[in-house]
Amino acid sequence: MIIYLDNNATTKMDQEALDEMMPFLTERYANPSSIHTFGGNIKNDIEKARQRLADLINCLAEEIIFTGCGTESDNAAIMSCLSLSEDKRHIVTSNIEHPAVLEFSKRLEKRGYDVTYLKVDNNGLINLDELKNSIRKDTAVVSIMMVNNEVGVVEPIKDAAKIAHNYGALFHCDAVQGLGKLPIDMHKNNVDLMSFSAHKIHGPKGVGALYIRKGVKFTSFITGGHQERGRRAGTENVASIIGFGKACELSKKNIDLYTNGKVKQLRDKLEKGLIDNISDAQVNAKDAPRSGNTLSISFKFIEGESILLLLDELGICASSGSACTSGSLEPSHVLKAMDISHLYAHGTIRFSLSKYTTDKDIDFVIEKMPGIIERLRKISPFS
Ligand code: PLP
């Protein structure tokens, strides 16, 4: 028996997405760039998938390119903004971004670019005044995530994008954890570039997308072919793009489950069940807007990894809030940036739910967790 509560890592693929993909892995194998009808028809299917993502985020299909993953979309977006002007060599981002932005920014620093990392408060929120003060004449891009993958905090993207524009910078948003969980309407925000990934919304792994607002100049990161209207070279991962499109169509119908429906109700039930039954536990990002599927919770005096191992023995899949840095387990960069006290941060677990999570799953976790924590605290040198 598997109880899968690690949906921010990846999700189970929708059967309907797989069904739509299968012909493109078997009999419909032509290259979409070929002149013959066999290939040309496949191009039409790719365009249908593009339209499905466009419908989910309310933009034009031509504003979307498909990429190899969310990480590529993030890298490509930032690189493009930097390539537009030789004089603009400054980036503003936050210190709770996914490594796809954070590590890329650090690499850029080594190449001579300047990066400002915005601090976050105890709930993981950036400060808009700090953002305002950090933008300079040579700032090429501000890159802030929509939803943090570890704690689920939702950043004030719309306001941040407005500020970036007021001060002459482009705005990129990593919305990999926002897609399908929050309503996204590109007509209602000022974002220039936005990154997505299929495998977080019950689509296949190895395909992502980048939204590029009409009129925003874009320089391709991967060059060589004319695919994606010259904006992303390489023969398309056709089947995965088709699966991504179907997953988008299904996601559009299911957003309410995450904003105030079943998924959020189950997350809230889990949160209450754990807080009510376990002492010295705290919910991270509790006082900020949070994604409806994510619960990051810290237990004083114990190690998240030990909790994970005992959960694993019961078939429960979750994540810890640690990162392996030079062989030792440290609280993640996100928990450190939020200034979560060490005694709690080490004992952090992330449960992330999906539309496939059931009441039974959550009841089982609520039943088992108090015993696990008690057992570990008994042998903890800190408690
Ligand atoms: N950005 C965020 C916020 C993520 O959570 C992830 C994946 O965990 C990524 C980017 C990277 O996406 P991908 O796995 O498609 O490269």
Side-chain angles (χ1 to χ4, degrees):
M1 182 190 67
I2 291 285
I3 293 182
Y4 190 74
L5 297 174
D6 200 15
N7 288 280
N8 286 7
T10 197
T11 56
K12 172 183 164 164
M13 201 157 90
D14 282 322
Q15 183 62 45
E16 287 157 279
L18 179 63
D19 291 345
E20 284 207 12
M21 288 168 69
M22 282 312 281
F24 297 91
L25 292 166
T26 50
E27 68 269 23
R28 299 192 61 196
Y29 53 81
N31 190 321
S33 297
S34 295
I35 300 295
H36 43 72
T37 314
F38 189 29
N41 284 343
I42 288 169
K43 199 161 197 68
N44 294 338
D45 288 292
I46 290 179
E47 293 319 309
K48 190 171 139 196
R50 203 186 306 278
Q51 187 59 54
R52 282 170 159 175
L53 173 54
D55 289 344
L56 178 57
I57 63 171
N58 194 24
C59 72
L60 299 170
E62 68 196 58
E63 292 176 304
I64 290 166
I65 61 168
F66 289 111
T67 63
C69 54
T71 302
E72 182 193 321
S73 301
D74 285 342
N75 283 211
I78 294 170
M79 209 55 235
S80 170
C81 296
L82 292 170
S83 310
L84 293 178
S85 162
E86 284 281 300
D87 303 330
K88 293 200 167 193
R89 298 183 65 79
H90 178 234
I91 303 160
V92 178
T93 186
S94 83
N95 55 17
I96 62 161
E97 297 296 312
H98 187 273
V101 169
L102 214 49
E103 292 303 317
F104 190 58
S105 299
K106 285 180 191 158
R107 180 182 286 189
L108 290 169
E109 273 187 292
K110 286 194 187 128
R111 289 194 203 152
Y113 291 93
D114 230 357
V115 184
T116 300
Y117 300 92
L118 300 179
K119 293 193 209 67
V120 293
D121 66 14
N122 198 237
N123 281 298
L125 285 169
I126 59 162
N127 180 314
L128 292 172
D129 286 328
E130 194 195 351
L131 169 61
K132 231 178 260 175
N133 294 332
S134 68
I135 303 178
R136 317 187 311 212
K137 273 207 176 80
D138 65 339
T139 305
V141 58
V142 175
S143 180
I144 306 290
M145 68 201 321
M146 180 176 285
V147 175
N148 179 268
N149 43 302
E150 285 189 36
V151 297
V153 58
V154 179
E155 298 295 341
I157 290 310
K158 204 170 148 185
D159 293 339
K162 216 181 272 173
I163 291 169
H165 286 174
N166 285 348
Y167 290 83
L170 288 165
F171 190 84
H172 164 251
C173 174
D174 173 343
V176 166
Q177 296 287 351
L179 190 69
K181 293 173 194 143
L182 298 176
I184 300 177
D185 184 339
M186 300 313 301
H187 286 298
K188 291 191 181 154
N189 64 43
N190 293 298
V191 176
D192 298 299
L193 301 128
M194 195 178 272
S195 304
F196 307 105
S197 180
H199 73 103
K200 309 291 186 182
I201 63 157
H202 307 285
K205 294 166 183 60
V207 60
L210 181 64
Y211 162 87
I212 307 159
R213 188 175 290 282
K214 199 173 173 180
V216 169
K217 288 205 184 97
F218 182 76
T219 317
S220 160
F221 188 55
I222 297 181
T223 41
H226 56 274
Q227 291 89 351
E228 298 297 282
R229 295 164 68 225
R231 294 183 292 178
R232 202 279 189 177
T235 302
E236 297 88 339
N237 181 355
V238 179
S240 293
I241 290 172
I242 303 300
F244 191 5
K246 185 64 185 176
C248 287
E249 187 192 74
L250 296 170
S251 268
K252 193 164 190 275
K253 294 181 194 149
N254 285 321
I255 286 193
D256 288 352
L257 294 179
Y258 291 81
T259 54
N260 53 29
K262 187 74 187 165
V263 177
K264 181 169 183 296
Q265 287 159 16
L266 285 177
R267 192 280 308 267
D268 291 347
K269 177 177 172 181
L270 176 61
E271 181 170 321
K272 188 170 177 341
L274 298 183
I275 289 291
D276 285 355
N277 292 301
I278 302 171
S279 63
D280 292 316
Q282 69 179 35
V283 173
N284 299 310
K286 190 173 180 353
D287 299 319
R290 264 186 302 153
S291 168
N293 82 318
T294 305
L295 171 62
S296 168
I297 183 163
S298 302
F299 302 96
K300 206 175 177 185
F301 303 132
I302 47 181
E303 292 285 338
E305 278 57 41
S306 318
I307 308 173
L308 278 191
L309 287 176
L310 296 185
L311 287 172
D312 193 44
E313 281 176 9
L314 297 168
I316 301 167
C317 306
S319 277
S320 77
S322 304
C324 192
T325 328
S326 357
S328 73
L329 281 172
E330 278 284 303
S332 72
H333 68 286
V334 177
L335 298 172
K336 279 186 183 165
M338 289 167 65
D339 206 17
I340 306 295
S341 97
H342 260 246
L343 278 179
Y344 275 95
H346 278 280
T348 300
I349 292 286
R350 177 190 71 186
F351 295 106
S352 47
L353 288 63
S354 84
K355 61 182 177 179
Y356 292 113
T357 308
T358 63
D359 270 287
K360 229 172 116 193
D361 293 341
I362 296 304
D363 290 343
F364 188 67
V365 178
I366 294 173
E367 182 198 323
K368 295 295 175 190
M369 276 293 280
I372 289 177
I373 303 298
E374 198 187 325
R375 197 173 139 192
L376 292 172
R377 280 187 179 152
K378 269 194 192 139
I379 54 168
S380 164
F382 306 109
S383 61

